[in-house]
Amino acid sequence: MRRFTVYDSLSRSTREFAPIHPPRVGLYVCGLTPYAPAHVGHGRTFVFFDVVARALRRWGYRVFYVQNVTNLDDKLIARGGEEGIDPLALADRHFLGYLASMERLGVRSVNYYPFATDYVPEILEQVRVLLDRGFAYVAADGSVYYEVAKFAGYGRLSGQKVEALRAGARVEVDPRKRSPEDFVLWKAATPGEPSWESPWGPGRPGWHIEDTAMTVRLLGDRYDLHGAAVDLIFPHHEAEIAQAEAATGRAPLVNYWMHGGLLLFDREKMSKSLGNVISLDEAIDSFGPGPLRLFYLNAQYRGPLDFHPDRTLAEAREAYARLAVGIERIDDLLERDGPERPGAEPPEALARDAQELVERLDRTLTDDFNTREAIALLFGWTRRIAEHLSQLETYSGAGLEELAAPYRWAEEVLGLFARERGSRAGAWGSIVPVAIAARARARARGDYAEADRIRDELRRAGVELEDGAGDTRWKAVGGA
RNA sequence: GCCGAGGUGGCAGAAUGGUUAAUGCGACGGACUGCAGAUCCGUUUCCUGGGGGUUCGAUUCCCUCCCUCGGCUCCA
């Protein structure tokens, strides 16, 4: 197991990681409340934690990655009401859409997506324990509230003092609460909403309780890593700590709290009210999965990242194309001739540098997942490869594979390039070479009108031709 | 107001108590090309918010001020 450091939001410091039960690592990331399609901001968070899980697995840890789905809450009920759909069905629909987006982005590292409503027994049990231990009280209408004043550590994660929270409270005080900072564990049922029987009457889970009910069940009283974006620190994560540590009597609930920065849209937070939300699928459509992942990972994960409408897209595309130059050429050759293709060995120094670079890439990521630095190193490698671009043709399959090692690393850990490789194995793979050959014959006899006609026709179909010295390369652009 | 993250070249965005401050985009020049595109090579010297302090030396550490963004019970 490779050692690494993580910035832990609770201690506000970068700490060396030590798993509770090596080599196993419990990783929990707050998932979506799927009341609407996922947007680009969600993509940033989930791609980043995908990289965390990939890296840990590469380094020898056995990661159990759980990402919850809040499939019932006020917004789902409201939205369902507007659209005349059962809120649970609405959640299912958007969650499936989310899964499809994740698949397109190459996010496949999550082991289990538990649904809140599948954990009602665990939730009821935890509420009961909190009541027994005196951390909660039942209101007149049958709702159960957590009494924040009873939990000494409340406010530590967010750095907020309870008094300050009261002073800054933006919501009106609910008369059912003993104190404004108390939060609901179990909501008394309102007619027409999904509800479950409970010792306190019919109701449904509050927002924070599902997470701790799930994690205690799935990951234990204490676990290693909890991830999410910063906007969930307060009140959500604060409440998780209060619930779980009070209920189990064990602390800390989480050893390392990881919080990713938000994706901004033209310097402002994305939000429905500002009308600046771009859906994740829209972004994948226009960027392509590779450039979008590159855009996300090209910044320190803890800082804000600005999505600028036109600039961002153009830059990500150009940068990705540049980065992929080397691996595309290598894969072209390997695809054409197979891994056993004969040829010379690449210069020893170059092959050795490839190996050393892979080690350096891993080391770079062990510094609190510095994906940005790793990408800078990969650009450097592309520069090296580009200098040898014309010699690549002469190298053996094994030799090419050696030079590809840094890119294979990027595929395994950062999830770059994977999707693009093999894209030409599809229908184009058999058609385009024939068209290119016909065009080459036209060019050879000086019939440029015909040559241009073929090129234009392919372009309309989404295939871009590039004439180089000797041969013509092609690539599928747009969708695919 | 309180808590947190930041202010770096035309733009995005790294890093380090000390030779030319990474990388990418853009721009410019060249190579290649039937033309174009893509690609390759080269150039882009004068960039680290203001003011103090510590130090032989600070962008990096400390103080202070200014500004931006986020959180303060909808939020990835």
Side-chain angles (χ1 to χ4, degrees):
Chain A
M1 287 174 287
R2 188 180 280 263
R3 299 158 80 91
F4 66 96
T5 59
V6 218
Y7 182 85
D8 166 44
S9 315
L10 183 58
S11 62
R12 293 175 176 72
S13 63
T14 304
R15 299 165 48 213
E16 172 125 0
F17 180 77
I20 297 171
H21 302 292
R24 290 186 295 165
V25 171
L27 170 64
Y28 186 78
V29 173
C30 286
L32 291 181
T33 300
Y35 68 98
H39 60 65
V40 238
H42 297 123
R44 180 188 188 193
T45 299
F46 299 121
V47 164
F48 173 71
F49 285 106
D50 178 50
V51 171
V52 170
R54 286 163 177 259
L56 292 188
R57 284 175 182 144
R58 173 177 166 82
W59 295 339
Y61 298 95
R62 283 180 41 212
V63 179
F64 185 48
Y65 178 0
V66 177
Q67 188 181 115
N68 72 300
V69 182
T70 307
N71 66 331
L72 183 64
D73 85 326
D74 294 348
K75 267 181 294 196
L76 275 161
I77 290 167
R79 189 63 69 93
E82 286 165 23
E83 298 180 21
I85 303 171
D86 178 81
L88 297 172
L90 184 66
D92 283 347
R93 177 199 295 176
H94 285 127
F95 177 66
L96 287 175
Y98 166 74
L99 276 187
S101 305
M102 288 297 112
E103 178 62 28
R104 292 179 70 194
L105 273 177
V107 175
R108 301 184 194 102
S109 51
V110 178
N111 294 290
Y112 184 43
Y113 289 100
F115 279 53
T117 55
D118 289 334
Y119 285 79
V120 172
E122 285 82 357
I123 289 168
L124 289 173
E125 173 61 13
Q126 201 166 75
V127 174
R128 186 190 64 73
V129 170
L130 287 171
L131 280 166
D132 286 354
R133 295 191 163 211
F135 286 96
Y137 55 90
V138 183
D141 68 345
S143 294
V144 182
Y145 288 91
Y146 189 98
E147 188 161 14
V148 167
K150 294 282 172 63
F151 187 74
Y154 195 82
R156 255 184 71 213
L157 178 68
S158 54
Q160 303 278 340
K161 294 197 172 57
V162 173
E163 311 81 70
L165 296 174
R166 273 181 213 164
R170 297 198 294 204
V171 278
E172 288 176 37
V173 179
D174 189 317
R176 291 169 296 188
K177 294 184 185 181
R178 288 186 187 161
S179 193
E181 68 272 15
D182 293 350
F183 57 88
V184 71
L185 297 170
W186 184 256
K187 286 189 134 165
T190 305
E193 294 175 6
S195 65
W196 288 259
E197 282 309 317
S198 85
W200 320 285
R204 59 186 169 91
W207 175 32
H208 318 295
I209 192 75
E210 58 172 280
D211 293 76
T212 49
M214 284 173 184
T215 59
V216 167
R217 172 64 182 274
L218 298 167
L219 299 172
D221 293 349
R222 300 181 50 227
Y223 59 98
D224 300 295
L225 286 162
H226 186 131
V230 287
D231 54 350
L232 290 183
I233 291 177
F234 191 89
H236 190 55
H237 295 333
E238 202 73 74
E240 281 187 45
I241 292 173
Q243 288 167 350
E245 294 185 2
T248 67
R250 303 188 63 201
L253 166 67
V254 170
N255 271 163
Y256 306 88
W257 286 91
M258 296 181 73
H259 292 283
L262 295 179
L263 184 76
L264 306 180
F265 184 91
D266 210 2
R267 312 226 61 205
E268 285 185 309
K269 182 173 173 177
M270 254 183 224
S271 78
K272 302 257 177 342
S273 51
L274 289 170
N276 60 2
V277 175
I278 295 189
S279 85
L280 185 52
D281 277 332
E282 225 177 305
I284 299 172
D285 286 344
S286 50
F287 279 69
L292 186 56
R293 280 188 81 115
L294 182 69
F295 165 66
Y296 287 144
L297 299 174
N298 214 185
Q300 229 310 65
Y301 75 91
R302 288 193 281 128
L305 176 61
D306 193 34
F307 184 100
H308 191 93
D310 20 78
R311 263 208 314 272
T312 301
L313 173 63
E315 273 198 39
R317 268 197 190 143
E318 293 305 320
Y320 188 78
R322 164 71 188 174
L323 187 61
V325 162
I327 188 62
E328 275 181 2
R329 188 62 59 94
I330 289 172
D331 277 337
D332 277 356
L333 293 170
L334 289 174
E335 205 165 293
R336 194 185 71 194
D337 305 332
E340 305 296 324
R341 84 190 288 273
E345 292 311 306
E348 204 175 299
L350 193 61
R352 194 183 56 237
D353 286 353
Q355 279 317 306
E356 284 174 4
L357 178 56
V358 169
E359 168 60 24
R360 228 179 127 194
L361 286 165
D362 275 314
R363 255 202 336 266
T364 297
L365 236 52
T366 62
D367 177 15
D368 194 26
F369 303 95
N370 192 343
T371 54
R372 185 57 170 98
E373 182 70 21
I375 287 167
L377 290 172
L378 288 166
F379 273 110
W381 185 245
T382 288
R383 172 170 285 270
R384 291 291 303 282
I385 291 294
E387 287 165 0
H388 293 258
L389 216 52
S390 53
Q391 279 110 258
L392 248 36
E393 178 82 34
T394 66
Y395 298 155
S396 71
L400 289 173
E401 208 42 76
E402 285 184 88
L403 300 187
Y407 298 116
R408 302 289 186 238
W409 180 94
E411 180 179 334
E412 178 185 347
V413 183
L414 304 182
L416 298 173
F417 313 126
R419 188 126 198 139
E420 285 67 19
R421 278 202 306 138
S423 65
R424 31 188 82 209
W428 289 132
S430 54
I431 298 166
V432 176
V434 175
I436 288 175
R439 179 161 167 276
R441 286 192 294 276
R443 293 173 75 205
R445 63 175 186 266
D447 185 356
Y448 295 117
E450 172 64 7
D452 289 349
R453 194 192 63 75
I454 293 172
R455 182 169 63 190
D456 291 344
E457 201 156 294
L458 286 173
R459 183 178 294 139
R460 272 197 298 279
V463 173
E464 205 62 61
L465 295 190
E466 298 158 9
D467 294 332
D471 58 347
T472 297
R473 301 178 184 289
W474 65 276
K475 62 182 179 189
V477 297

